[in-house]
Amino acid sequence: AQSVAQPEDQVNVAEGNPLTVKCTYSVSGNPYLFWYVQYPNRGLQFLLKYITGDNLVKGSYGFEAEFNKSQTSFHLKKPSALVSDSALYFCAVRDQAGTALIFGKGTTLSVSS
Amino acid sequence: EAGVVQSPRYKIIEKKQPVAFWCNPISGHNTLYWYRQNLGQGPELLIRYENEEAVDDSQLPKDRFSAERLKGVDSTLKIQPAELGDSAVYLCASSLPLGGPGDTQYFGPGTRLTVL
């Protein structure tokens, strides 16, 4: 069965510092991996995805994620955090067969000024 | 281009009452999804449509939940009767056909349901 783990409920960083939000996954075969962000009272906004190819994926708002097959991880990163990045971040996975996305529980990112 | 539209944004009802949620997907997106997001959790799929056909409704509680997408565009999700445990955010998403290169799911703002 597919699953996603986001081991940190909350990540706190200072503005200007690099940030990492962790995600590990379990899926049969090659994974399709996604990151979404959710602001209060808003739906999920797509940030980036990994399907195949380069292990470093660049997405919206300066975010990037690194796919590591041996560690079954897909950590979200940003070189310099902004206060406006404060939100709830979800990692999601599905397999190539086209089944539904499986989401993690989410990680709250708090960026302080 | 307009995103996924949902209404209402908020709904408060008493238990045992019926409730309906409406979704208009992104133009051209044949695949439509309904998710439920409980507090502190990630979204969980309720049902997936390919055009008018419900192709994955295995997680839909069919004793009280129903959904339709009659013309392959708009969709309605209904709960009758609602229970206290149905309080959640109901999210609609759409995409190009699943499995293809453009199958990223785009989400609407959701409907926050409170059952009293």
Side-chain angles (χ1 to χ4, degrees):
Chain A
Q2 302 169 83
S3 65
V4 175
Q6 294 183 243
E8 302 155 316
D9 290 336
Q10 180 147 349
V11 171
N12 299 309
V13 299
E15 188 174 31
N17 283 358
L19 70 87
T20 299
V21 182
K22 296 180 180 178
C23 172
T24 59
Y25 67 90
S26 175
V27 68
S28 300
N30 294 323
Y32 286 26
L33 293 156
F34 300 79
W35 276 102
Y36 286 85
V37 60
Q38 187 174 36
Y39 297 97
N41 299 316
R42 303 280 295 277
L44 278 71
Q45 295 180 30
F46 170 72
L47 281 180
L48 50 81
K49 68 180 179 183
Y50 171 82
I51 303 299
T52 187
D54 193 346
N55 289 343
L56 185 63
V57 179
K58 294 187 182 297
S60 306
Y61 313 119
F63 284 94
E64 57 189 27
E66 185 170 11
F67 171 63
N68 187 316
K69 187 173 183 178
S70 63
Q71 296 185 4
T72 61
S73 67
F74 189 56
H75 301 332
L76 181 70
K77 300 180 180 182
K78 188 173 183 180
S80 178
L82 300 173
V83 173
S84 57
D85 292 330
S86 298
L88 182 58
Y89 290 80
F90 289 98
C91 181
V93 67
R94 68 171 178 82
D95 63 24
Q96 290 179 304
T99 56
L101 284 177
I102 302 299
F103 285 85
K105 291 186 175 181
T107 298
T108 298
L109 174 65
S110 179
V111 181
S112 57
S113 58
Chain B
E1 180 179 305
V4 177
V5 179
Q6 290 188 249
S7 68
R9 292 294 313 278
Y10 305 91
K11 189 73 175 179
I12 301 174
I13 61 172
E14 294 189 347
K15 62 182 181 181
K16 300 185 181 181
Q17 294 300 306
V19 65
F21 315 125
W22 175 80
C23 172
N24 181 253
I26 293 172
S27 177
H29 281 190
N30 298 335
T31 307
L32 184 145
Y33 315 75
W34 283 103
Y35 287 86
R36 177 168 59 189
Q37 185 178 16
N38 293 315
L39 188 64
Q41 302 292 321
E44 295 178 329
L45 181 72
L46 291 173
I47 189 169
R48 172 168 64 96
Y49 281 93
E50 294 286 349
N51 299 305
E52 303 88 357
E53 183 181 1
V55 296
D56 183 357
D57 63 356
S58 58
Q59 300 304 311
L60 189 73
K62 297 181 182 65
D63 57 335
R64 298 183 299 107
F65 286 65
S66 63
E68 60 183 16
R69 194 184 184 199
L70 294 176
K71 296 184 179 180
V73 180
D74 296 1
S75 178
T76 301
L77 178 69
K78 298 178 181 179
I79 309 175
Q80 182 171 11
E83 297 179 352
L84 295 177
D86 295 332
S87 295
V89 176
Y90 291 83
L91 294 165
C92 180
S94 69
S95 75
L96 294 172
L98 201 62
D103 69 352
T104 297
Q105 295 179 35
Y106 295 91
F107 286 79
T111 297
R112 182 177 296 276
L113 174 67
T114 302
V115 182
L116 302 176

